[in-house]
Amino acid sequence: MFSSKESFQKNFLKRLEMTYGKTFRESSSRDQYNTLGLMVREYISANWIQTNEKNRSANNKQVYYLSIEFLLGKLMGQNLLNLGIREVVEKGLEELGINLSAIEESEADAGLGNGGLGRLAACFLDSLASLDLPGHGCGIRYKHGLFDQKIADGYQVEYPEQWLRHGNIWEVRKPDQAVDILFWGTIESRETDGKLEFTHTSAETIVAVPYDMPVIGYETNTVNTLRLWSAEPAHHPPLHRDLLTYKRETEAVSEFLYPDDTHDEGKILRLKQQYFLVSASIQSIIRSYRKKNGSLHDFHERVALHINDTHPVLAIPELMRILLDEEHLEWKEAWHITTHTISYTNHTTLSEALEKWPIYLFKPLLPRIYQIVEEINERYCKALWERYPGDWSRIEHMAILAHGLVKMAHLAIAGSHSVNGVAKIHSDILKMREMKRFYEFEPEKFNNKTNGIAHRRWLLKANPELSDAITEAIGSRWIKEPESLIQLKRFIYDEGMKEKNAQIKQARKEILAHKIFEQSSLKIDPSSIFDVQVKRLHAYKRQLLNVLHIMYLYNRIREDSNFTVYPRTFIFGAKASPGYYYAKKVIKLINALAEKVNSDPKVSQMVKVVFMENYRVSLAESIFPAADVSEQISTASKEASGTGNMKFMMNGALTIGTLDGANVEILESVGPSNIFTFGLTAEQVLDYYENGGYRSTEYYHHDARIRQAVDQLVNGFFHETEGEFEAIFDSLLAHNDQYFVLKDFSSYAEAQERVERTFINKGEWQEKSLLNIAYSGSFSSDRTIKEYAEGIWRIKPI
């Protein structure tokens, strides 16, 4: 059906008319999109079935990647690219008067994630399939996913995301494989033949229905599966519940990603989501395993379960529950199987992000799971006591249950065979500081796997012009073996390659400038420096540092007639969690600053500020190829890795950043002259936290630039409601600037001056740009997945 342009056209027209009962001329772009999607699904169906059969019959070990987020974005373009049929489809549609890009644009972003965590999971699935590895994803089929962001009068307003409004052409509903998930109720025990047996009575049942989506590898026959679970009411609802209330609460489990947990109802819903995900996934995996293998005694030798951050940690007690209560194994064997099956990735050093659940909520919602966690905790503390007799402080610190809380990160470490960080510096901080006592107890568990990105999505698809130029220079081997990009080093001084790189960047900047004009009616100069900070909005990511520096430039331009800067466009994109008051104030501040700067005739000649609404995967694909400067300015020690830094680098942007996360490894790769670093080191930041000594007011009083900008937050400089930015002002002075924004300001400003001086020398900038691209191959998720496959999961290509 895709063998030639003519064959495709014939099949496309026939399928469209048969499906919709209308002629091609009467069809809508939605009809055309769905028709093409159905054809692709049919085209890959044989390989999808064959992949599943191979995995079953070969009896090789498989990995299941459990994640609360999968930030997939749009799939049509990537699937066509991976299948090698994009050109045939594009030309065939073009002759029919259809623009393929327009069809792709009509697809909704599958926004089943909040940021780097979910996008990493999506990139990993791409690499698993492209490397022919038996690896599948398990997640939740959120009805709305992350919210759609609108900016109204500078404020973020959230609307439900409607990615399923027109259905999802890529999914296959599998109601025959649904499983029951039990909540609430009581646990009854009885002794049979000298062994305790447990029964869950008066439980409330939710049905988990799987929707399978194909994960298509690049130029390979492997089609893995992403299984997303939808929550539905049971056929026989609980007698003691109001039917409508039960239905509404059930469907809420898979309705929204990250419901507000500032109250108990929200906490219960989040905990329900987490157990729903792991119980449905593990029950399904075990059911499939039993068909082939029967006994679960060797389960850990055939199955690897990977938990992406703490959200799926309940996989540990859930697997224990099945092994103990359904398989009737002894605790010792069940624990051996569980700990040798499960591995855990930590994604943060922020204590508030390491989930802790109040026992008074956890215990009644998950009564049997709580009993198992209690037993795990008791045995774990006993092992600690045997190693550290009398050291109550250490045991209290490491306990899974303490102070009325279930500590999920502690449970993850105790119940897994591998604990990895996601950048070298992050893993070192975990071992030496945040999880030092756990590392001392079981050092063999800890390792590093630096994050990576799907280079076929973020370079080959997002930037086809640059991809073609690279292939013309070094051949196409880099697409399957991204480390081959290093061959581009031979061309960094080649005038023709430098000019081509510059032309491609300029063209992408013009495309983004047009998109910005369409969104905001703001005209920006495509020849200006595109300085970009796009990521989740959080205080530690320090969008505020960027803002204060722009305010300084504004003040300097206004007050000093001799001061000029090379024209620069500062581009922001970010969503703030709906309940994160401070972050939403920063969004308002960015928009207030944009209005101030862009409406000033003198300043706007040199500086423009843009906030791009509703940042998402498809928008990111337009932004990364157009960026000159990549803002990676988190407080050192706080960003576990970052992946945006890698996407910018791969598209030829230069990084301005702290020595944090994967920035450190980018620095090691490209050398200090090809990245603009500044600010405190992680060691210095951690020393301040431990020993004090930082006074933000000292920087406020002794640096006139800082004092002027900070005062402008509250002195009427912005024509906003009085007190609008008082919380930000207080965070810097009254609360002593927790993330060292003022401390790093001067160093950041100096680094920005270096950026400008370098950019003015066009030839030098292009050399640095090409060098960054050349070294970016080592930050592909193909490399990361190979390391996971060999070092943690022990899986091999089939």
Side-chain angles (χ1 to χ4, degrees):
M1 111 182 33
F2 294 103
S3 58
S4 68
K5 178 182 63 178
E6 293 74 22
S7 173
F8 164 69
Q9 287 176 333
K10 179 181 177 182
N11 280 279
F12 178 79
L13 293 172
K14 181 180 178 182
R15 175 62 62 86
L16 189 151
E17 291 172 358
M18 287 175 60
T19 303
Y20 294 101
K22 59 176 79 169
T23 66
F24 165 67
R25 288 188 179 84
E26 296 174 301
S27 66
S28 66
S29 60
R30 172 62 50 185
D31 299 333
Q32 295 159 9
Y33 166 80
N34 285 337
T35 300
L36 180 56
L38 286 169
M39 291 176 67
V40 173
R41 274 256 310 276
E42 182 181 328
Y43 184 65
I44 59 100
S45 60
N47 283 342
W48 198 3
I49 293 168
Q50 186 179 44
T51 299
N52 288 329
E53 287 301 314
K54 273 185 180 179
N55 289 336
R56 277 193 286 267
S57 60
N59 213 23
N60 283 16
K61 193 174 189 181
Q62 298 183 61
V63 65
Y64 296 87
Y65 195 84
L66 276 61
S67 179
I68 206 77
E69 297 185 32
F70 284 95
L71 192 51
L72 302 170
K74 299 183 179 187
L75 297 173
M76 178 69 82
Q78 193 66 50
N79 287 342
L80 294 176
L81 185 69
N82 284 2
L83 289 168
I85 59 176
R86 182 180 175 85
E87 187 175 347
V88 167
V89 170
E90 190 168 31
K91 288 182 177 178
L93 291 176
E94 188 178 359
E95 288 190 2
L96 295 173
I98 301 172
N99 185 287
L100 176 58
S101 296
I103 286 187
E104 291 175 2
E105 193 63 30
S106 70
E107 180 178 10
D109 274 66
L112 308 182
N114 185 34
L117 183 82
R119 187 53 231 172
L120 181 78
C123 286
F124 279 4
L125 292 184
D126 177 273
S127 287
L128 280 163
S130 296
L131 294 170
D132 293 312
L133 288 164
H136 316 283
C138 300
I140 295 178
R141 183 182 179 266
Y142 302 105
K143 182 179 179 181
H144 295 297
L146 195 62
F147 60 87
D148 275 341
Q149 180 195 58
K150 302 292 182 186
I151 300 299
D153 193 27
Y155 296 96
Q156 170 179 293
V157 181
E158 302 94 23
Y159 292 89
E161 187 223 30
Q162 302 287 350
W163 77 289
L164 290 172
R165 181 189 292 116
H166 301 291
N168 176 14
I169 200 68
W170 305 110
E171 68 186 13
V172 180
R173 178 179 162 90
K174 301 282 185 70
D176 58 311
Q177 296 183 34
V179 296
D180 291 344
I181 315 296
L182 305 184
F183 296 99
W184 309 107
T186 58
I187 304 300
E188 296 177 356
S189 63
R190 67 176 185 275
E191 191 171 326
T192 304
D193 297 329
K195 187 173 183 180
L196 278 178
E197 293 185 349
F198 298 88
T199 306
H200 197 160
T201 63
S202 305
E204 184 174 296
T205 303
I206 290 178
V207 178
V209 179
Y211 288 73
D212 287 355
M213 296 175 66
V215 181
I216 301 167
Y218 179 79
E219 292 189 351
T220 175
N221 293 328
T222 297
V223 181
N224 288 333
T225 300
L226 169 60
R227 172 159 284 188
L228 300 176
W229 295 97
S230 179
E232 298 183 7
H235 296 301
H236 302 288
L239 297 174
H240 61 285
R241 295 293 309 280
D242 174 73
L243 183 60
L244 290 178
T245 303
Y246 163 70
K247 183 176 185 294
R248 186 168 58 251
E249 290 181 357
T250 295
E251 292 172 349
V253 171
S254 59
E255 188 166 14
F256 288 100
L257 170 69
Y258 295 138
D260 180 13
D261 65 348
T262 55
H263 47 77
D264 282 356
E265 291 80 3
K267 288 183 174 68
I268 289 170
L269 182 52
R270 282 207 187 196
L271 194 51
K272 267 188 171 182
Q273 287 183 330
Q274 294 182 9
Y275 184 65
F276 173 81
L277 165 62
V278 302
S279 181
S281 301
I282 293 174
Q283 286 188 66
S284 172
I285 292 163
I286 286 177
R287 182 166 58 188
S288 175
Y289 181 87
R290 279 200 190 105
K291 288 179 182 177
K292 171 70 178 175
N293 300 282
S295 164
L296 267 66
H297 293 289
D298 298 326
F299 185 71
H300 56 292
E301 295 178 4
R302 296 284 178 261
V303 172
L305 297 176
H306 195 86
I307 50 181
N308 189 30
D309 217 7
T310 53
H311 313 107
V313 168
L314 290 176
I316 294 164
E318 174 64 6
L319 182 53
M320 286 294 291
R321 181 191 68 79
I322 293 172
L323 295 172
L324 293 169
D325 298 355
E326 298 180 13
E327 297 298 311
H328 306 293
L329 300 183
E330 296 294 333
W331 181 279
K332 184 177 180 181
E333 183 181 6
W335 186 243
H336 177 82
I337 292 170
T338 297
T339 55
H340 285 76
T341 299
I342 291 176
S343 48
Y344 160 57
T345 293
N346 173 280
H347 283 276
T348 184
T349 62
L350 298 176
S351 59
E352 65 268 25
L354 296 173
E355 292 181 304
K356 305 174 186 70
W357 295 110
I359 290 173
Y360 73 85
L361 298 178
F362 190 109
K363 185 176 180 179
L365 180 67
L366 305 169
R368 180 58 181 141
I369 293 299
Y370 181 74
Q371 288 180 343
I372 293 170
V373 172
E374 252 190 335
E375 184 70 16
I376 293 171
N377 179 64
E378 186 174 324
R379 290 170 182 256
Y380 190 62
C381 290
K382 184 173 182 290
L384 292 172
W385 176 261
E386 290 171 356
R387 176 78 70 87
Y388 311 107
D391 193 345
W392 289 110
S393 174
R394 178 185 290 265
I395 294 169
E396 178 187 31
H397 176 83
M398 296 176 68
I400 296 161
L401 300 177
H403 309 295
L405 298 171
V406 183
K407 300 184 176 182
M408 303 300 275
H410 295 196
L411 178 57
I413 297 169
S416 60
H417 66 87
S418 170
V419 178
N420 74 277
V422 290
K424 288 176 184 176
I425 187 172
H426 172 232
S427 297
D428 288 343
I429 289 170
L430 291 181
K431 290 189 293 185
M432 298 298 107
R433 291 180 180 266
E434 299 300 320
M435 296 178 175
K436 182 179 180 182
R437 290 174 177 174
F438 294 95
Y439 175 66
E440 290 172 344
F441 183 54
E442 297 178 291
E444 70 283 354
K445 283 188 177 183
F446 287 78
N447 61 93
N448 176 65
K449 300 289 177 282
T450 298
N451 280 347
I453 60 171
H455 65 284
R456 286 170 289 268
R457 162 79 76 156
W458 295 107
L459 179 52
L460 187 63
K461 177 180 181 292
N463 203 340
E465 299 84 5
L466 179 58
S467 299
D468 289 346
I470 292 170
T471 298
E472 186 180 332
I474 65 172
S476 62
R477 182 179 171 188
W478 67 272
I479 302 172
K480 293 288 279 186
E481 299 175 21
E483 292 87 349
S484 299
L485 282 170
I486 196 64
Q487 295 176 27
L488 202 60
K489 275 185 70 177
R490 305 197 312 264
F491 295 89
I492 63 174
Y493 301 115
D494 182 277
E495 293 301 324
M497 191 66 188
K498 286 158 64 174
E499 180 61 28
K500 188 175 294 184
N501 190 42
Q503 289 173 354
I504 291 167
K505 180 67 71 175
Q506 186 62 28
R508 295 308 304 238
K509 290 168 72 172
E510 288 169 4
I511 292 170
L512 185 60
H514 179 68
K515 192 179 287 283
I516 289 169
F517 181 75
E518 285 184 327
Q519 185 184 94
S520 63
S521 300
L522 177 67
K523 290 185 178 180
I524 62 173
D525 179 7
S527 65
S528 64
I529 302 172
F530 277 22
D531 185 314
V532 186
Q533 188 174 17
V534 288
K535 54 182 70 241
R536 180 167 56 91
L537 210 146
H538 195 288
Y540 83 82
K541 295 179 184 288
R542 299 202 297 189
Q543 284 90 350
L544 181 58
L545 177 58
N546 194 347
V547 167
L548 291 178
H549 176 254
I550 299 168
M551 290 171 68
Y552 153 68
L553 292 177
Y554 176 94
N555 294 329
R556 186 81 187 275
I557 294 168
R558 291 281 300 169
E559 295 165 3
D560 185 349
S561 59
N562 295 318
F563 179 74
T564 60
V565 297
Y566 192 95
R568 192 181 302 217
T569 302
F570 293 94
I571 299 171
F572 294 86
K575 291 181 179 180
S577 175
Y580 193 174
Y581 174 82
Y582 179 88
K584 294 174 85 166
K585 284 295 183 187
V586 174
I587 287 179
K588 172 62 174 173
L589 176 61
I590 295 169
N591 284 290
L593 178 61
E595 185 178 352
K596 190 90 174 174
V597 168
N598 299 339
S599 63
D600 188 297
K602 183 178 182 182
V603 178
S604 62
Q605 292 178 35
M606 290 178 265
V607 175
K608 288 268 180 45
V609 179
V610 179
F611 186 92
M612 298 203 74
E613 188 179 75
N614 202 33
Y615 181 60
R616 59 202 183 278
V617 173
S618 58
L619 181 56
E621 290 180 35
S622 297
I623 293 174
F624 287 115
D628 294 307
V629 178
S630 163
E631 295 271 355
Q632 308 298 329
I633 59 178
S634 56
T635 305
S637 80
K638 296 301 179 185
E639 186 77 85
S641 169
T643 51
N645 45 8
M646 303 169 187
K647 294 162 193 166
F648 281 116
M649 176 192 191
M650 193 169 277
N651 282 277
L654 271 58
T655 304
I656 179 169
T658 50
L659 295 175
D660 196 24
N663 292 353
V664 175
E665 289 161 73
I666 292 175
L667 169 65
E668 291 172 356
S669 296
V670 303
S673 61
N674 297 295
I675 183 174
F676 304 94
T677 58
F678 71 94
L680 294 170
T681 64
E683 291 77 11
Q684 290 169 327
V685 168
L686 293 168
D687 183 66
Y688 273 127
Y689 284 141
E690 288 182 13
N691 303 310
Y694 175 58
R695 299 287 182 272
S696 63
T697 51
E698 292 181 8
Y699 293 87
Y700 170 79
H701 288 300
H702 291 103
D703 191 324
R705 300 169 300 175
I706 290 174
R707 186 167 61 255
Q708 182 179 20
V710 171
D711 284 348
Q712 285 170 335
L713 295 173
V714 293
N715 67 5
F717 173 79
F718 294 106
H719 304 300
E720 314 298 323
T721 305
E722 186 177 350
E724 181 74 63
F725 304 125
E726 194 168 324
I728 300 174
F729 179 86
D730 287 346
S731 74
L732 295 172
L733 299 180
H735 304 305
N736 201 36
D737 186 18
Q738 180 184 357
Y739 295 110
F740 304 99
V741 172
L742 305 188
K743 173 70 175 174
D744 279 350
F745 178 88
S746 182
S747 179
Y748 177 62
E750 190 278 327
Q752 287 285 22
E753 290 173 4
R754 283 188 280 130
V755 168
E756 180 177 314
R757 289 195 300 270
T758 307
F759 189 86
I760 290 171
N761 186 332
K762 301 296 186 183
E764 182 186 2
W765 186 271
Q766 290 306 320
E767 290 164 12
K768 294 177 185 299
S769 173
L770 288 167
L771 189 79
N772 271 265
I773 298 168
Y775 278 101
S776 69
S778 63
F779 295 102
S780 165
S781 52
D782 282 13
R783 185 267 311 154
T784 313
I785 284 298
K786 286 176 184 176
E787 292 179 2
Y788 274 101
E790 295 167 8
I792 297 178
W793 302 330
R794 313 292 186 193
I795 59 171
K796 296 179 179 179
I798 294 181

